[in-house]
Amino acid sequence: MPGLRRALLGLWAALGLGFFGLTAVAQEPFWADLQPRVALVERGGSLWLNCSTNCPRPERGGLETSLRRNGTQRGLRWLARQLVDIREPETQPVCFFRCARRTLQARGLIRTFQRPDRVELVPLPTWQPVGENFTLSCRVPGAGPRGSLTLTLLRGAQELIRRSFAGEPPRARGAVLTATVLARREDHGANFSCRAELDLRPHGLGLFENSSFPRELRTFALSPDLPRLTSPRLLEVGSERLVNCTLNGLFPASEAGVYLALGDQRLSPDITLEGDALMATATATASAEQEGARQLVCIVTLGDESRETRENVTVYSFPAPLLTLSEPSVPEGKMVTITCAAEARALVTLDGVPAAVPGRPVQLQLNTTENDDRRGFFCDATLEVDGETLNKNESAELRVLYAPRLDDSDCPRSWTWPEGPEQTLRCDARGNPAPSVHCARLDGGAVLALGLLGPITRALSGTYRCTATNIQGEAVKDVTLTVEYAPALDSVGCPERITWLEGTEASLSCVAHGFPPPNVSCVRSGEAQVMEGLLRVAREHAGTYRCEATNTQGSAAKNVAITVESPPQMNESTCPSHQTWLEGEAAKLACVAGGRPSPQVRCSREGTPLPQQLRVSRQDAGTYHCLAINPHGTDARMVTVGVEYRPVVAELAASPPGGVRPGGNFTLICRAEAWPPAQISWRAPPGALNIGLSSNNSTLSVAGALGSHGGEYECAATNTHGRHSRRITVHVAGPWLWVAVGGAAGGAALLAAGAGLAFYMQSTACKKGEYNVQEAESSGEAVCLNGTGGGTGGGAGPEGGTEPADTAETPAGGEVFAIQLTSA
């Protein structure tokens, strides 16, 4: 049964929580039991109670309670009943059974709780003065049990006071919390509320919360001072005057209300706020119906309080006086009457002459002249209102008609204007009506645009006749216009570039345009001395000069470049008379000429023009004729050209041409072509001794050839432009027997001769700059070879070593010694 199961679960929950003390079942043979014994039910809820006994055969049993029942279920030793709409704070149901002539009983306890569904905050005052206390009161009707209830009063999210009602009787329901709070400025617009909490968590239930609707508090502060009212003491009918009402010490000033009124006329003020200050500004307009004494009132209201100020204002009417002329415009010499009048209470004065009594007019008669034209008349009226004297006036102007006059003050006889800025040319004539003035050049040329803003140009200079005309006549006058203008330096009077010829006479003069006539001076850049008069032109006169023209209207400056030109000139430094070329290279004659403009130099040989650039050969050596030309003349020079060329070993031959037998003699001849002449050097095979050289090293000879004389010989030719070499191979060969016997018999002699030859080579050949490197391999010292350079390469000729082999050219500068190391 679902209901019964819920009743049993409720019973066990109540037992576990221990909300109330439980009565233990009597330890008797038979007993009655009620479950749940103690229960907490939400008001209006329902509950199943289970009544049971251990009596084997109870006679009867039942459940006594005042609560409403909804259903009952029975068994032999039990019954279950559902109680509904439980509202009483506390009830005690009784379970009983009749067993063996005894009555068995079990009592239970059922209590109800009610959530804080209604949390009410008592309404706040409409306005609360700052600095005074107000009451916050919160009421939570019916909620309980009260002992589990907590109430909190809040300002926004801030807790003001919190109270718990723990310890109250279980049957107590509902709660009230009241607090006194001091109103502050910052409380204006703050929300106050109340929060209720019913905490049934100790009884196995939850925490039930609810809050009241927030109530907004409006606080205010109103200064005890009265508003300050600024208003006119007198207000004329139909006029508008500003009225100001100000009050300080308002909070919040934006909530204040302002009432402004003049008599029974309410005004519409504009409100201006600045901090705690308020200013109301309105325009007061008086009508004829309000004439007399009136009150101006200002009332400032804030909260449920107000401050009021009143001022007296007198509304009056004072029309302006009336000034009339019998004729406003008359010809010269006619009589005019002027009248000044006002209302009955006002006293009038015409040009300082007062009326006899208030309300009476004043008159003046005048015989007009030219000087009365545009004469003004002044009519003044005074009125006393509320102890204050008021003034109003009126004016009028008389027009007198007369013929034109051209005075020097209004139309000068001589005008001087600067050129450029726009000006207004005026030639004004007196007269009424205003004359028209026309100025034209006497020669019938230009007409001046009088009275119009326009540019002043030098073309306007001249004499003009000005005629002024109106209906009364005309006037004529001649005027002269002079236009001054700043200097100008143009290319005609002052060219940007001037050319002088050296040795002639010249002067630097620049003509400037301008009025007054400008003064012109020219100074060389970087110098202070002004260039004046004739001078003998020299090259140092060339340069840039700054010419400046000055007059009263300004100045103008211009740079003038002076160029000094001269005829062509050539000398040894610019066109040497002896020049050297190198064969095979591109070359041209090194001839330039001085002079301005730069001369053109042309060179020829035997009448044939020399190419601009040529590949040099030996045939180019010879004498050339060079001519320099510019617009101012010519200059000529004769130049001798020498052609040098790199060395070439033209011939390398052996004599005899074939091989040589041991003990025989042979000669090597080396011939070289070069300019400057080449130096000849040789390189012999390692170990070759007893080598002889000719005085110019062109011939190498060997007497008594040995096997060590066989091998490759190199001849090198060197000059300042390079080096060239060729090689030839010499064979020393004979019968084997002769070689063996000769070698055995002459071994000792050979050794001795070798030692002597080595000494000779070191003592004599070294003087020529030769080194035998192979000998240095065994002795640890270098052996000289005569020569100014060394080289490698080449091989034997096709005829067994007597054919020379060329090597590449090697440039050399000065004496060069080469050391060749051979491998062991």
Side-chain angles (χ1 to χ4, degrees):
M1 295 179 291
L4 181 57
R5 285 197 295 270
R6 285 196 296 271
L8 292 174
L9 290 173
L11 173 62
W12 288 110
L15 290 174
L17 294 172
F19 182 74
F20 294 103
L22 301 179
T23 304
V25 179
Q27 299 297 319
E28 296 179 355
F30 302 111
W31 44 258
D33 187 24
L34 180 62
Q35 295 296 332
R37 187 68 61 88
V38 178
L40 185 63
V41 182
E42 186 171 7
R43 187 174 184 271
S46 60
L47 175 68
W48 279 88
L49 290 180
N50 183 31
C51 180
S52 62
T53 182
N54 63 346
C55 178
R57 298 186 65 81
E59 298 174 7
R60 61 186 176 89
L63 181 63
E64 294 180 354
T65 178
S66 61
L67 302 175
R68 289 178 55 194
R69 309 166 187 174
N70 192 33
T72 303
Q73 297 179 4
R74 292 180 178 273
L76 177 61
R77 291 188 294 277
W78 63 273
L79 68 86
R81 181 167 291 157
Q82 184 182 30
L83 306 179
V84 297
D85 195 20
I86 304 172
R87 294 185 176 274
E88 296 181 15
E90 182 177 286
T91 58
Q92 293 184 358
V94 178
C95 169
F96 67 92
F97 286 95
R98 184 73 178 170
C99 180
R101 295 189 298 277
R102 290 183 59 194
T103 299
L104 306 177
Q105 287 187 349
R107 289 183 179 275
L109 178 63
I110 301 175
R111 287 177 176 158
T112 60
F113 71 91
Q114 183 172 340
R115 306 185 192 206
D117 295 326
R118 291 173 54 201
V119 182
E120 300 174 351
L121 184 66
V122 176
L124 301 177
T126 304
W127 284 96
Q128 176 63 34
V130 172
E132 296 183 12
N133 291 328
F134 66 97
T135 300
L136 286 177
S137 182
C138 176
R139 188 170 69 90
V140 187
R146 189 186 300 160
S148 300
L149 195 62
T150 300
L151 296 184
T152 305
L153 291 173
L154 301 166
R155 178 195 289 118
Q158 177 191 5
E159 292 187 0
L160 297 177
I161 185 171
R162 180 182 178 90
R163 181 181 174 188
S164 173
F165 296 90
E168 294 281 336
R171 298 179 63 85
R173 297 291 187 271
V176 175
L177 179 60
T178 302
T180 300
V181 181
L182 181 65
R184 307 171 304 170
R185 282 195 174 202
E186 52 266 34
D187 292 334
H188 180 69
N191 287 323
F192 291 82
S193 61
C194 177
R195 183 174 68 234
E197 300 173 352
L198 182 64
D199 191 359
L200 298 180
R201 289 175 294 186
H203 309 299
L205 299 175
L207 174 67
F208 302 98
E209 294 181 293
N210 196 12
S211 297
S212 68
F213 287 108
R215 294 188 182 276
E216 183 182 36
L217 180 66
R218 302 173 74 190
T219 63
F220 76 97
L222 181 59
S223 170
D225 299 333
L226 297 180
R228 186 170 66 255
L229 188 57
T230 305
S231 65
R233 195 170 64 85
L234 303 177
L235 184 60
E236 187 177 5
V237 172
S239 65
E240 294 183 348
R241 298 291 297 275
L242 288 179
V243 176
N244 291 330
C245 180
T246 59
L247 181 62
N248 296 330
L250 295 170
F251 173 81
S254 58
E255 300 285 346
V258 179
Y259 173 80
L260 264 177
L262 175 63
D264 56 358
Q265 177 191 2
R266 183 167 182 172
L267 307 179
S268 300
D270 293 329
I271 308 298
T272 303
L273 303 177
E274 185 173 349
D276 288 351
L278 174 146
M279 175 182 285
T281 303
T283 301
T285 304
S287 62
E289 293 78 10
Q290 293 177 304
E291 190 169 359
R294 293 287 181 268
Q295 272 200 335
L296 183 67
V297 61
C298 175
I299 303 174
V300 179
T301 304
L302 183 59
D304 52 6
E305 298 182 18
S306 64
R307 304 286 184 267
E308 178 179 334
T309 298
R310 294 177 179 269
E311 294 286 349
N312 292 325
V313 177
T314 300
V315 179
Y316 69 94
S317 176
F318 182 19
L322 181 63
L323 178 63
T324 58
L325 280 69
S326 58
E327 290 186 67
S329 180
V330 296
E332 188 177 16
K334 189 172 183 181
M335 191 69 69
V336 175
T337 301
I338 301 98
T339 305
C340 173
E343 67 165 10
R345 294 178 299 160
L347 179 67
V348 296
T349 301
L350 176 60
D351 279 359
V353 179
V357 293
R360 182 171 294 181
V362 178
Q363 282 191 340
L364 174 65
Q365 286 190 330
L366 178 68
N367 187 14
T368 60
T369 68
E370 171 192 344
N371 296 329
D372 294 322
D373 184 40
R374 299 184 180 274
R375 177 177 173 180
F377 297 92
F378 189 79
C379 175
D380 181 70
T382 60
L383 178 68
E384 186 174 337
V385 178
D386 196 17
E388 186 173 342
T389 301
L390 305 178
N391 289 80
K392 285 195 175 182
N393 54 70
E394 187 69 33
S395 63
E397 186 179 80
L398 176 65
R399 300 305 305 273
V400 178
L401 305 178
Y402 61 95
R405 275 84 161 168
L406 286 170
D407 299 331
D408 289 344
S409 59
D410 298 323
C411 185
R413 295 183 181 275
S414 178
W415 295 337
T416 300
W417 292 97
E419 184 181 43
E422 291 188 335
Q423 302 286 350
T424 301
L425 299 178
R426 294 191 178 278
C427 177
D428 296 327
R430 292 187 298 110
N432 194 15
S436 62
V437 182
H438 177 267
C439 296
R441 201 190 294 267
L442 291 176
D443 58 7
V447 175
L448 293 181
L450 297 176
L452 299 178
L453 184 66
I456 302 298
T457 64
R458 62 195 72 177
L460 294 177
S461 295
T463 300
Y464 296 81
R465 173 156 293 172
C466 296
T467 303
T469 306
N470 69 2
I471 58 175
Q472 301 295 319
E474 71 174 18
V476 177
K477 188 177 188 178
D478 289 342
V479 299
T480 301
L481 174 61
T482 301
V483 177
E484 295 184 349
Y485 51 95
L489 291 168
D490 58 21
S491 298
V492 176
C494 189
E496 291 82 358
R497 297 183 179 277
I498 299 176
T499 300
W500 291 343
L501 183 60
E502 185 178 21
T504 63
E505 288 187 344
S507 64
L508 178 56
S509 60
C510 277
V511 178
H513 303 285
F515 192 86
N519 178 39
V520 183
S521 62
C522 296
V523 177
R524 186 170 183 171
S525 298
E527 298 179 0
Q529 184 177 357
V530 177
M531 192 174 190
E532 296 178 333
L534 286 174
L535 51 87
R536 175 69 62 178
V537 177
R539 297 184 184 181
E540 55 268 21
H541 291 138
T544 300
Y545 293 78
R546 184 171 181 82
C547 294
E548 185 172 10
T550 308
N551 68 4
T552 57
Q553 295 301 313
S555 62
K558 187 174 188 179
N559 288 335
V560 178
I562 299 295
T563 303
V564 176
E565 297 185 350
S566 59
Q569 292 180 352
M570 290 189 295
N571 53 35
E572 188 65 24
S573 62
T574 61
C575 185
S577 57
H578 291 82
Q579 300 184 27
T580 301
W581 292 346
L582 180 62
E583 185 180 42
E585 293 187 352
K588 64 178 181 179
L589 277 176
C591 275
V592 294
R596 191 174 183 90
S598 297
Q600 184 178 12
V601 180
R602 298 174 181 173
C603 297
S604 61
R605 182 183 182 185
E606 298 176 355
T608 301
L610 186 66
Q612 192 70 16
Q613 208 170 40
L614 72 159
R615 181 69 62 177
V616 177
S617 67
R618 300 177 194 182
Q619 289 75 26
D620 293 326
T623 300
Y624 292 81
H625 179 262
C626 292
L627 183 65
I629 303 173
N630 77 356
H632 302 297
T634 62
D635 192 14
R637 281 184 68 82
M638 302 300 291
V639 179
T640 300
V641 175
V643 176
E644 297 183 352
Y645 44 93
R646 298 176 180 83
V648 174
V649 178
E651 179 184 3
L652 179 60
S655 178
V660 61
R661 292 179 178 273
N665 300 329
F666 68 89
T667 300
L668 298 180
I669 300 171
C670 181
R671 184 176 61 84
E673 296 180 358
W675 191 262
Q679 294 182 356
I680 305 298
S681 63
W682 293 87
R683 184 173 61 83
L689 304 177
N690 296 331
I691 295 177
L693 297 174
S694 63
S695 60
N696 61 356
N697 287 1
S698 63
T699 302
L700 182 148
S701 60
V702 173
L706 302 176
S708 60
H709 289 110
E712 185 180 73
Y713 291 78
E714 180 184 83
C715 173
T718 307
N719 71 0
T720 56
H721 300 300
R723 180 179 183 276
H724 185 256
S725 65
R726 293 181 66 179
R727 299 183 183 91
I728 191 170
T729 302
V730 175
H731 295 280
V732 178
W736 284 102
L737 180 60
W738 187 91
V739 173
V741 173
L750 182 58
L751 288 175
L757 180 60
F759 176 76
Y760 172 77
M761 292 294 289
Q762 289 182 2
S763 60
T764 60
C766 284
K767 295 178 182 178
K768 301 178 182 180
E770 297 181 0
Y771 289 86
N772 187 312
V773 180
Q774 186 168 357
E775 184 176 340
E777 292 178 355
S778 59
S779 65
E781 298 179 355
V783 180
C784 300
L785 290 176
N786 183 31
T788 58
T792 61
E799 297 182 0
T802 59
E803 183 64 26
D806 293 339
T807 64
E809 297 182 0
T810 304
E815 221 174 12
V816 178
F817 295 91
I819 301 176
Q820 178 177 349
L821 299 179
T822 59
S823 59

